[in-house]
């Protein structure tokens, strides 16, 4: 328990510092984080029935994230994203020369699925920092605080009051009481954020909290479904007492794209009006 607490505290400090310090550190840190999560995903899904091309997948994901991040920072042209096309083509071509691939299309599908499942959500999260123009740490910081608030509320309420199973087939420990507790604490966190960070309105912060609570829970369940289908307990062991990085950011994977699209649409409508 002590190891878990120390690891968790250190990790929270590192994540928050990377968001608050400056745009370059934010982009670089989450680029590395997305690559590590993508590697963990490839390690989980690869087996005798189909192996993703982890090297090409990582190159594809890192290049796409890096070029998009460079564009947001104002250092690269969006045309640089065209560089990912040759890598995408290689994902299809390389299996032609791999004699040990019995199910090449399964491996190809896993390779692209990893980029969609891991890198695209992290790109969406990165975009929150630039949603209002120049880099503003308040939205990605608020996102993480709400996500952690939801996880904490769900854990505490589920542990002390949990009775009714939410999705026993996939995650036996999750309860409806935990879900409600997570939503309530997420709403409290969003209300506090609205007072100190009026970059968006109060009701937009509240809506963001609801979306993170619901889709963050689904993200957790989807990763649990992945691990259960592959019969693994944790996505990795890089964080003592916590498992892998993918285990810590599973809620972000579905919540970040939904929150980004929602806020993008709202801000676009405000600009038009």
């Amino acid at each position: 328990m002590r190891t878990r607490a120390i690891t968790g505290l250190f990790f929270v400090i590192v994540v928050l510092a990377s968001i608050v310090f400056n745009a370059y550190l934010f982009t670089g840190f989450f680029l590395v984080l997305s690559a590590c999560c993508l590697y963990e995903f490839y390690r989980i899904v690869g087996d005798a029935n189909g192996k993703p091309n982890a090297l090409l997948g990582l190159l594809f994901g890192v290049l796409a994230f890096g070029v998009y991040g460079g564009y947001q920072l104002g250092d690269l042209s969006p045309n640089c994203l065209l560089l990912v096309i040759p890598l995408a083509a290689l994902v299809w071509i390389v299996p032609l020369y791999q004699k040990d691939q019995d199910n090449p299309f399964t491996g190809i599908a896993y390779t692209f699925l990893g980029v969609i499942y891991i890198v695209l959500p992290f790109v969406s999260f990165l975009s929150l920092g630039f949603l209002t123009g120049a880099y503003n740490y308040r939205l990605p910081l608020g996102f993480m605080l709400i996500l952690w608030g939801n996880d904490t509320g769900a854990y505490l309420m589920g542990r002390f009051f949990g009775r009714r199973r939410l999705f026993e087939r996939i995650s036996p420990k999750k309860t409806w009481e935990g879900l409600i507790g997570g939503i309530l604490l997420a709403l409290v966190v969003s209300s506090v954020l609205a007072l100190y960070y009026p970059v968006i309105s109060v009701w937009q912060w509240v809506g963001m909290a609801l979306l993170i609570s619901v889709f963050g829970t689904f993200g957790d369940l989807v990763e649990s479904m992945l691990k259960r289908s592959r019969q693994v307990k944790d996505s990795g062991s890089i964080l003592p007492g916590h498992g892998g990085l993918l285990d810590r950011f599973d809620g972000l994977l579905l919540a970040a794209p939904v929150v980004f699209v929602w806020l993008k649409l709202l801000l676009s409508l405000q600009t038009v009006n």
Side-chain angles (χ1 to χ4, degrees), residues 223-271:
E223 202 241 355
S224 295
M225 180 172 62
L226 168 65
K227 292 188 295 184
R228 185 172 289 270
S229 68
R230 311 309 294 177
Q231 298 180 347
V232 297
K233 183 178 184 295
D234 297 315
S235 66
S237 57
I238 192 171
L239 298 174
H242 288 266
L245 290 169
L246 188 56
D247 294 324
R248 303 279 63 82
F249 287 92
D250 50 8
L252 178 148
L253 299 181
L254 292 188
V258 174
V259 169
F260 169 69
V261 170
W262 184 70
L263 289 178
K264 182 71 173 178
L265 289 174
L266 288 180
L267 294 177
S268 298
L269 289 174
Q270 288 178 0
T271 302

Side-chain angles (χ1 to χ4, degrees), residues 118-129:
I118 306 295
V119 179
L120 183 59
F122 275 103
V123 166
S124 299
F125 178 72
L126 176 74
S127 299
L128 291 176

Side-chain angles (χ1 to χ4, degrees), residues 91-169:
V91 174
W92 295 90
I93 295 171
V94 167
L96 292 171
Y97 298 92
Q98 294 177 321
K99 297 180 180 180
D100 60 339
Q101 280 276 22
D102 295 328
N103 299 290
F105 272 83
T106 302
I108 292 169
Y110 281 154
T111 303
F112 285 119
L113 177 62
V115 175
I116 295 170
Y117 177 50
I118 306 295
V119 179
L120 183 59
F122 275 103
V123 166
S124 299
F125 178 72
L126 176 74
S127 299
L128 291 176
F130 301 90
L131 196 59
T132 56
Y135 179 64
N136 189 329
Y137 69 85
R138 291 165 180 79
L139 284 178
L141 176 65
F143 181 100
M144 292 307 305
L145 292 177
I146 292 171
L147 183 63
W148 290 336
N150 175 71
D151 291 343
T152 302
Y155 172 76
L156 293 176
M157 186 69 81
R159 179 174 182 179
F160 293 106
F161 302 102
R163 296 291 183 273
R164 300 170 182 81
R165 302 302 175 188
L166 176 65
F167 222 112
E168 189 170 6
R169 180 173 61 87

Side-chain angles (χ1 to χ4, degrees), residues 195-208:
L195 292 176
Y196 291 96
Y197 297 148
V199 62
I200 55 177
S201 66
V202 176
W203 74 269
Q204 288 171 335
W205 276 115
V206 169
M208 183 174 170

